[in-house]
Amino acid sequence: MSHIKLGKYNRLEVVKEVDFGLYLDGDEDGEILLPKRYVPEDCKPGDMLNVFIYLDMDERLVATTLQPYVQVGEFACLEVAWVNEYGAFLNWGLMKDLFVPFREQKAKMQQGGRYMVHVHLDDESYRIVASAKVERYLSKEKPVYRCGDEVDALVWQRTDLGYKVIVDNRFNGMIFHNEIFAQIELGMHYRAYVKHVREDGKIDLELQRRGLGKVDDFSGILLQYIKDHEGCIPFTDKSDAELIYDTFHVSKKTFKKAVGDLYKKHLIQLTPQDIRLTEEK
């Protein structure tokens, strides 16, 4: 059985140098070419390289030091580079585009459109392909997360209730609209926290860790932030909620309560342009 992980990173030894690149030791798969344009400076036989292995136009194993946007076994939101009579081809950061057969498309993909896909090896052809039928590749197991656990959330689809997300590259999750304090984008990864695991295995998430929203907790964080920024920050109670969330990862409501708490304690001064430490502090 091959030890080469197709569609993933592999650490391989350089065995020889040729005019058009380097050959790497692929064990029973033979020598694998790393084309000259990807060869690191001063690389020589005996060196170990971390390379991504995929198939070239002739379906031969080839190595690259480019970083693809996604590996086999992962989900990603990718743009369609072109379409032909066989399917769509996605830009995934490599010279050869990623193929999505028509049978793996929910609706016919359009050039320039962005779609959430799962990348895997085709069972019959052993080629790297993608599928927009995302649900098929989510785990059917019930997650074992506890309330408050931190997870990675890949935003997948907007619904009337909120945003469907893929949790830790495995599970089906949801962030409801009332948990969102700033604009989030499809295809982006966010740090999220488990709110509840439902009986059907789906996970309800929140973007703000429970506890950080408490005024006492965040008041201390905000005070330290002001001190770390030379005693003055360009925020007011009129500041944009999205800017507040991007900076502090709390809602505008929590931010304003913390500002009020610090002001009542005479720890800060408020001006129309900024918040600053009181002079005696």
Side-chain angles (χ1 to χ4, degrees), residues 89-100:
F89 294 82
L90 310 178
N91 174 16
W92 63 321
L94 301 181
M95 293 286 290
K96 182 184 176 185
D97 294 321
L98 180 62
F99 181 49
V100 188

Side-chain angles (χ1 to χ4, degrees), residues 53-276:
I53 302 295
Y54 68 120
L55 299 174
D56 65 12
M57 298 298 183
D58 298 316
E59 306 299 331
R60 297 173 300 192
L61 292 174
V62 66
T64 180
T65 50
L66 293 177
Q67 295 184 340
Y69 304 145
V70 61
Q71 298 184 60
V72 161
E74 295 179 347
F75 299 88
C77 189
L78 302 176
E79 182 176 342
V80 176
W82 54 290
V83 178
N84 68 9
E85 64 269 31
Y86 303 108
F89 294 82
L90 310 178
N91 174 16
W92 63 321
L94 301 181
M95 293 286 290
K96 182 184 176 185
D97 294 321
L98 180 62
F99 181 49
V100 188
F102 282 126
R103 67 178 182 274
E104 296 298 330
Q105 300 177 24
K106 286 185 173 180
K108 190 173 182 181
M109 291 182 168
Q110 304 295 322
Q111 183 174 349
R114 292 179 62 82
Y115 301 87
M116 183 64 66
V117 296
H118 179 265
V119 180
H120 55 277
L121 298 180
D122 181 73
D123 292 335
E124 296 180 6
S125 67
Y126 196 56
R127 295 174 181 172
I128 304 171
V129 297
S131 173
K133 297 180 179 179
V134 172
E135 296 93 333
R136 182 193 302 165
Y137 299 96
L138 294 172
S139 177
K140 304 298 187 293
E141 300 175 9
K142 186 171 182 179
V144 292
Y145 297 112
R146 294 176 300 177
C147 180
D149 282 350
E150 182 177 316
V151 298
D152 174 78
L154 172 61
V155 181
W156 160 29
Q157 188 177 33
R158 193 183 193 280
T159 73
D160 291 339
L161 295 175
Y163 288 86
K164 288 185 178 181
V165 298
I166 298 169
V167 179
D168 285 343
N169 200 54
R170 289 189 65 193
F171 301 108
N172 199 334
M174 172 70 79
I175 303 174
F176 291 95
H177 285 305
N178 63 355
E179 298 290 349
I180 298 170
F181 308 115
Q183 183 178 348
I184 64 176
E185 297 181 34
L186 296 178
M188 295 296 291
H189 290 264
Y190 294 88
R191 181 174 56 192
Y193 304 93
V194 174
K195 186 176 182 181
H196 175 65
V197 178
R198 300 186 226 164
E199 284 302 314
D200 61 4
K202 294 180 180 177
I203 307 166
D204 294 342
L205 301 170
E206 51 193 355
L207 292 175
Q208 182 175 307
R209 187 195 292 274
R210 292 190 177 190
L212 267 188
K214 294 179 181 178
V215 175
D216 289 345
D217 292 343
F218 181 62
S219 294
I221 293 172
L222 179 59
L223 182 62
Q224 187 60 51
Y225 184 88
I226 300 170
K227 290 178 179 179
D228 292 342
H229 289 76
E230 299 182 348
C232 182
I233 59 173
F235 287 86
T236 70
D237 60 0
K238 302 288 194 299
S239 293
D240 182 71
E242 188 171 334
L243 177 62
I244 289 170
Y245 185 80
D246 286 344
T247 306
F248 302 106
H249 300 289
V250 298
S251 68
K252 184 171 181 176
K253 181 179 179 182
T254 296
F255 176 82
K256 289 178 69 173
K257 284 183 177 180
V259 169
D261 180 60
L262 295 177
Y263 183 75
K264 288 175 184 176
K265 294 176 180 176
H266 306 290
L267 296 173
I268 59 172
Q269 296 176 329
L270 306 180
T271 80
Q273 295 80 33
D274 54 37
I275 300 171
R276 56 186 64 202

Side-chain angles (χ1 to χ4, degrees), residues 38-56:
Y38 305 131
V39 174
E41 190 175 353
D42 299 326
C43 191
K44 60 188 183 302
D47 288 350
M48 299 296 294
L49 292 179
N50 193 42
V51 293
F52 185 81
I53 302 295
Y54 68 120
L55 299 174
D56 65 12

